[in-house]
Amino acid sequence: QVQVVESGGGSVQAGGSLRLSCTASGLTFDDYALGWFRQAPGKEREAVSCITWSGYGSYYADSVKGRFTISRDNAKNTLYLQMNSLKSEDTATYYCMAERSWCYGRDDAYWGQGTQVTVSS
């Protein structure tokens, strides 16, 4: 059974930093692209960042470019999202996901339960 579990969310003031982590078990970790999506109240879920199985390719939403950094440690089956210079508009529930080839968010993706990030101004 595949399990995807996020951690590291919390409350922070604008300008601060948080580091999200995500572990995945029950799958061959380095067979999957990994990513972070987020959903704010009243808004649709949006892709934040994605990283290829090797870690050499990545994607960032325009809204987080230059502030967020995605990375993975395949030896530890762990994905990270370093979030710096946080803004109030980054407030959302952040979801980790795993999907073969890329972070399309299709039916065959595996999702975590989400971790809340709240940024106060």
Side-chain angles (χ1 to χ4, degrees):
Q1 182 179 359
V2 175
Q3 285 192 319
V4 179
V5 180
E6 306 95 338
S7 61
S11 297
V12 65
Q13 288 193 329
S17 298
L18 282 173
R19 188 195 198 199
L20 304 183
S21 298
C22 170
T23 58
S25 58
L27 50 73
T28 303
F29 193 76
D30 54 7
D31 278 353
Y32 287 79
L34 302 171
W36 294 95
F37 282 63
R38 68 185 180 186
Q39 187 167 20
K43 295 188 177 181
E44 292 191 355
R45 189 175 295 191
E46 63 172 351
V48 174
S49 185
C50 184
I51 189 167
T52 58
W53 69 270
S54 65
Y56 288 117
S58 61
Y59 157 84
Y60 294 95
D62 287 344
S63 58
V64 306
K65 277 181 184 175
R67 300 188 297 121
F68 290 11
T69 303
I70 192 170
S71 61
R72 64 189 291 166
D73 185 337
N74 287 345
K76 296 181 178 179
N77 280 21
T78 303
L79 173 72
Y80 304 99
L81 186 69
Q82 179 66 43
M83 305 186 294
N84 298 330
S85 302
L86 282 161
K87 304 176 181 180
S88 57
E89 50 262 45
D90 295 318
T91 295
T93 301
Y94 284 70
Y95 297 90
C96 174
M97 59 87 71
E99 189 169 0
R100 290 188 186 274
S101 73
W102 195 239
C103 307
Y104 297 111
R106 296 177 298 199
D107 291 345
D108 59 349
Y110 296 103
W111 295 89
Q113 293 299 305
T115 186
Q116 179 66 35
V117 171
T118 302
V119 184
S120 57
S121 56

